[in-house]
Amino acid sequence: MAPETRTDPVRGTQGWLRTANDRAALRLFLDHGALTRTQLGELTGLSNPTANQIAARLEAAGLITEVGQLTGRRGPSAAAYAIRPERAIGVAVDIDVAVVRSRVVDAVGSAHGTALAPKAGPGKDRSAVGDVTAAIEAACALAGVDTAAARRVLVAVQGAVDPATDTVRFADTLAGWPRRGARQQLATALAVPVDIENDANMAAVAERSAGAGAGAADFAYLWLGEGLGLAFDIGGQIHSGRTGGAGELGYLPAPWDVARYQPGAVDMQGVAGGPAVLRLARAAGIKARGYRNVIAALADGVAAGAREQLLSALSERVALLVVPVLALLEPERVVLGGPTGAAGGGALAAMVAAQVRGATRWRPDVRATQVAVDPVLRGAGEQLRTRLRADLLAEVGGGSA
């Protein structure tokens, strides 16, 4: 067996110290934006000569570049430096039931718009490479970025993703995608690292940073949409299970007493998924041709009585999903997300909490999502940014960050 090749300098040596200082400085540029060499020295606590040397090495490596000078000052000390954004650009992709959303993401958190592309319809060939390539091209065109600049791609899908075996299960919406080897197929075709993640998990990432999950030690994120899903966040870490199948609530067999809510339902998807919501809406007098029309009607405003009737009936069904989550995990908080959770808002969350309190001994903290717009893509972007930053830091010293 060939000896292991060491890429990082040996701890405690001059080379190791230089690499550690360079990475610490690069993190400051990532966190603070443009900095002068003087500011870099102040933030690191290092001497000005050492800070100057660090900045010079990072600039020579093509990681930072001069972006201007401080107003009212002249000379080398006034020069401000920042990360070269083109060194760490990626594309986040959300493959929904009817549309593909994508967005350019970079390590410094620049704002880029969301590109939309309809998926191929019936009778048209679809593939993983085709879907993702089209998404990358649309996002890069919108952001004015060359597609060749993308160094990493993260794709969120409706399915259970097992990274160990490169397998995607429960993926009924991914027509033309291989159930095994999709990540490797994409990475080979695109010639960049590719990650595939579950959509509910990515929505929970967004909820943790800027939504109803913020501040909780742990929370369960219940995705209520055309399909059902669950993500469990423990201190900022998503629990996906041994093979990525944790949270596939829609496939749970319906309990024996569910006939009073939905006769003939065989699983929880039939109890609270999109078709069930459509039936409840029509029973409440809301005229809609499909599930998405129901969500749009709730957002645009419907008669108060019809809205309350729909949410009341729906809350009974959602409570059936929340109870096993409480029994098995007992999270500090339960967040209702997805299109149904967002449309139902605080009223639905309060009704679900009341249903659970009335039927069990739990007193759950149930809240509505606060990330109603593109939650999956937003979370995928945040996850991708974290990995782009790690990639960039790993370039310093030629080893792992």
Side-chain angles (χ1 to χ4, degrees):
M1 180 180 295
E4 179 181 355
T5 300
R6 178 181 292 277
T7 55
D8 270 349
V10 177
R11 181 177 292 273
T13 64
Q14 189 67 29
W16 174 85
L17 182 61
R18 182 169 56 249
T19 297
N21 285 339
D22 288 357
R23 286 180 181 163
L26 193 60
R27 287 190 183 94
L28 290 173
F29 281 112
L30 287 167
D31 293 339
H32 294 272
L35 297 170
T36 65
R37 298 187 181 199
T38 300
Q39 291 171 326
L40 181 62
E42 292 171 351
L43 289 170
T44 58
L46 299 171
S47 66
N48 283 339
T50 301
N52 289 339
Q53 292 171 3
I54 292 172
R57 287 196 296 269
L58 295 178
E59 186 178 20
L63 297 172
I64 65 173
T65 187
E66 185 175 341
V67 293
Q69 293 193 334
L70 292 181
T71 303
R73 298 183 62 180
R74 301 178 65 183
S77 63
Y81 298 83
I83 297 288
R84 297 176 64 126
E86 70 274 13
R87 288 300 305 269
I89 286 179
V91 177
V93 182
D94 167 26
I95 299 185
D96 198 353
V97 173
V99 71
V100 177
R101 300 176 180 86
S102 57
R103 179 183 298 164
V104 167
V105 176
D106 61 48
V108 297
S110 303
H112 296 286
T114 300
L116 300 178
K119 295 195 303 188
K124 296 183 179 180
D125 291 337
R126 278 190 58 197
S127 68
V129 173
D131 282 353
V132 176
T133 298
I136 293 172
E137 291 174 349
C140 289
L142 183 63
V145 173
D146 190 332
T147 56
R151 298 191 170 206
R152 179 179 283 273
V153 175
L154 189 149
V155 186
V157 300
Q158 297 178 335
V161 181
D162 183 358
T165 61
D166 194 4
T167 302
V168 180
R169 296 176 293 122
F170 307 120
D172 301 334
T173 62
L174 296 177
W177 281 55
R179 292 301 175 256
R180 186 181 293 271
R183 185 199 59 76
Q184 184 57 53
Q185 184 183 102
L186 286 168
T188 300
L190 301 174
V192 296
V194 175
D195 298 300
I196 302 179
E197 301 283 355
N198 171 262
D199 60 343
N201 287 346
M202 293 300 95
V205 169
E207 206 72 51
R208 159 66 72 179
S209 64
D218 54 59
F219 70 94
Y221 178 90
L222 185 57
W223 177 273
L224 303 170
E226 291 273 12
L228 306 175
L230 173 72
F232 190 54
D233 178 296
I234 306 174
Q237 298 295 318
I238 299 295
H239 173 71
S240 300
R242 183 176 63 86
T243 63
E248 294 295 337
L249 285 180
Y251 294 92
L252 280 178
W256 64 270
D257 62 342
V258 82
R260 56 182 170 143
Y261 301 114
Q262 189 65 53
V266 297
D267 55 26
M268 297 310 293
Q269 169 66 20
V271 177
V277 173
L278 177 60
R279 286 191 291 269
L280 292 176
R282 289 172 174 170
I286 300 175
K287 297 181 180 180
R289 296 182 60 184
Y291 165 75
R292 291 177 180 266
N293 299 118
V294 175
I295 300 304
L298 288 173
D300 293 339
V302 296
R307 178 184 177 86
E308 184 175 1
Q309 180 179 338
L310 170 58
L311 295 184
S312 177
L314 183 59
S315 70
E316 296 178 338
R317 298 164 180 243
V318 175
L320 292 175
L321 296 169
V322 171
V323 169
V325 173
L326 295 172
L328 295 175
L329 303 173
E330 196 178 9
E332 178 180 337
R333 190 173 299 162
V334 176
V335 179
L336 305 184
T340 304
L348 177 61
M351 290 180 183
V352 170
Q355 289 284 347
V356 175
R357 287 195 299 269
T360 71
R361 297 182 179 181
W362 281 286
R363 300 293 181 266
D365 177 9
V366 182
R367 305 188 186 186
T369 177
Q370 294 178 10
V371 187
V373 179
D374 293 340
V376 175
L377 188 62
R378 181 167 178 172
E382 293 181 18
Q383 193 87 325
L384 176 58
R385 183 171 297 113
T386 297
R387 292 172 186 175
L388 288 170
R389 287 168 62 107
D391 291 344
L392 198 64
L393 290 166
E395 291 189 34
V396 178
S400 58

